[in-house]
Each structure stands twice: as C-alpha cells, then as structure tokens.
Amino acid sequence: MEYLSEFLGTMILVFLGDSVVANVALKNTKGNGSGFTFVTLGWMVAVAVPVLMFGWIGGAHFNPAVTFGLTIAGLFEWSMLPGYIGAQMGGGFVGAVLVYIFYKQHFDATEDKATKLGVFATGPAIRNAVHNSISEFLATFLLVFAILMALAMAPAGNAAGGLGIAWIILALGTALGGTTGYALNPARDLSPRIAHFLLPIKDKGSSDWGYSWIPTIMPILGGIVAGLLVYALEPSLRPFM
C-alpha cells in the first residue's frame, strides 16, 4: 500500500505541477502568460494536494531526495528505499504522460521547442554547471531539512503537515526558483524528461540530456546532506520525533 501511495501521489504531484506550467506557457490556454508567480503558487498546491491525500499511508515522500534524507537520518527503513524510489519515478513518468494527453492540442499549437520541454523539465536561466548545481543542491537541502525538522511539529499526513510543506515549497519557489526552476526532485524532472523524450510531441526538439544530471544528482546530494545533519542532531531531536 505504501508503494502504491507513493506512485499515485507522485503522479498527481507531477500531473498538477507540470499542468500549471503548461497552462502558463503553451499557446491558446486560458492561463497563457500568467507568469512565474502563478507557477510557484500552482506548484505549492500541487505538492500539498497529494500530501493531504496519501501522507497518512506512506509518509508522502513523492521525491527520492526526501526518501534518501529520511533514510540517512534514520527515520526510514533502508529496505524500503528502492521500492519507494521506483514508485516515485514511475509515478512521475505517468503524471507527465497525463499532462501531454490533457494539453495535446496546445502542445501542437506551440512552436517553441524550449517551451515544450519546459513543461516537463527544468532548465537554467543562465547555463553554468557550477552555479546551477549549487542552486539545486542548496534549494533541495533546505527542502529536506525543513521537512525533517517539521516532523517534530506535525506529521506530514495531516492538514497541518500538508499546509506546512506547501508553504515550504512556496518559499523555495519564490526565493530560489529564479536560477534553475527549482527541480528539487528527480521524479519531477528526470521522469518527465524521459516522457518528453518518448512521447510523440509535435516538433518537440531536444530533451537536453546534457543538463539533466544537475536536477537529478544535486537534489539527491542535497537530501543526503540534510539527512546527515538531522542524524547528527538526532540526540537533541529524539524527544520530539
């Protein structure tokens, strides 16, 4: 049941979140041109909805970086790590396919190849591997560290936990999203990027595999470092967690 909840939750997260981008970026949509603020608000809710739906079942990770962080911190079983990550990556792929089906007419009407890729995967505002890596590492570190510390106050599966994570996503998006688009999550970036590569999108262009390692590897490293920090702090946190 936990693996299914991770699959469905990540699918919903990507379906809603990437659909917000599609609504803003693709031609002839009702939300075309709404801007980055609209995207950050949409992603805030896209993360909160599946957390509220499934958090009580499997903890509502929906992100390999979060799962790695929890595991490193000693708050999640190593034996469940591969299954969770597999479910998350599969859910992200299916969610991206649903975005294409939902917005197919608008993909067809949009000429710009980068815009089409941007619905599925993140990209840098200024391409620089070092600075882009730092952006993704620090943003994901803050995400995972905030989630782990928030567990001392409210479990993820209740309303307070879901709302708290939503505010974390909004803060990260508005403050740190301007450099790379704040992937924060390989299941939100790599899985949809694979979908972009495989789907029969009209005149879609490159999937930008040369950049793809940054929003895949750096969030995981950020999650691991956050987990290590919480593990080091664990004696003082134990009464609360």
Side-chain angles (χ1 to χ4, degrees):
M1 190 65 175
E2 290 90 348
Y3 298 135
L4 180 60
S5 73
E6 285 295 304
F7 176 87
L8 293 174
T10 310
M11 180 189 74
I12 293 170
L13 183 153
V14 171
F15 180 40
L16 293 178
D18 282 1
S19 288
V20 172
V21 181
N23 189 23
V24 170
L26 298 180
K27 277 193 173 182
N28 302 327
T29 64
K30 297 288 188 179
N32 179 257
S34 298
F36 188 71
T37 301
F38 192 86
V39 172
T40 56
L41 290 171
W43 268 106
M44 171 190 182
V45 179
V47 173
V49 168
V51 169
L52 293 173
M53 291 173 68
F54 298 107
W56 62 278
I57 298 175
H61 299 189
F62 311 144
N63 182 344
V66 172
T67 304
F68 267 106
L70 285 163
T71 306
I72 294 294
L75 301 173
F76 189 70
E77 295 292 333
W78 280 99
S79 61
M80 298 185 72
L81 178 68
Y84 260 54
I85 292 177
Q88 292 157 2
M89 298 302 288
F93 178 85
V94 174
V97 171
L98 293 176
V99 175
Y100 171 67
I101 293 171
F102 195 93
Y103 280 97
K104 183 185 183 303
Q105 293 183 90
H106 301 279
F107 278 107
D108 291 345
T110 302
E111 295 87 6
D112 186 69
K113 295 177 173 59
T115 297
K116 294 178 183 181
L117 175 60
V119 171
F120 295 94
T122 61
I126 300 174
R127 189 173 292 258
N128 181 293
V130 173
H131 289 285
N132 301 155
S133 296
I134 291 170
S135 293
E136 286 296 331
F137 173 85
L138 287 177
T140 312
F141 168 81
L142 285 174
L143 169 69
V144 178
F145 186 65
I147 289 173
L148 295 182
M149 296 300 292
L151 288 174
M153 295 182 289
N158 64 22
L163 183 59
I165 291 173
W167 285 114
I168 293 168
I169 296 297
L170 180 62
L172 293 174
T174 53
L176 306 179
T179 55
T180 60
Y182 69 124
L184 307 175
N185 180 352
R188 173 265 175 275
D189 191 283
L190 179 60
S191 292
R193 195 183 298 268
I194 294 171
H196 174 271
F197 177 73
L198 294 175
L199 286 167
I201 304 168
K202 181 182 177 182
D203 300 326
K204 64 182 175 182
S206 168
S207 299
D208 197 7
W209 294 111
Y211 177 77
S212 64
W213 67 272
I214 292 176
T216 301
I217 300 299
M218 300 315 295
I220 291 175
L221 292 178
I224 288 173
V225 173
L228 288 171
L229 179 57
V230 171
Y231 181 79
L233 295 172
E234 193 269 342
S236 60
L237 295 175
R238 189 178 298 153
F240 305 101
M241 302 182 73

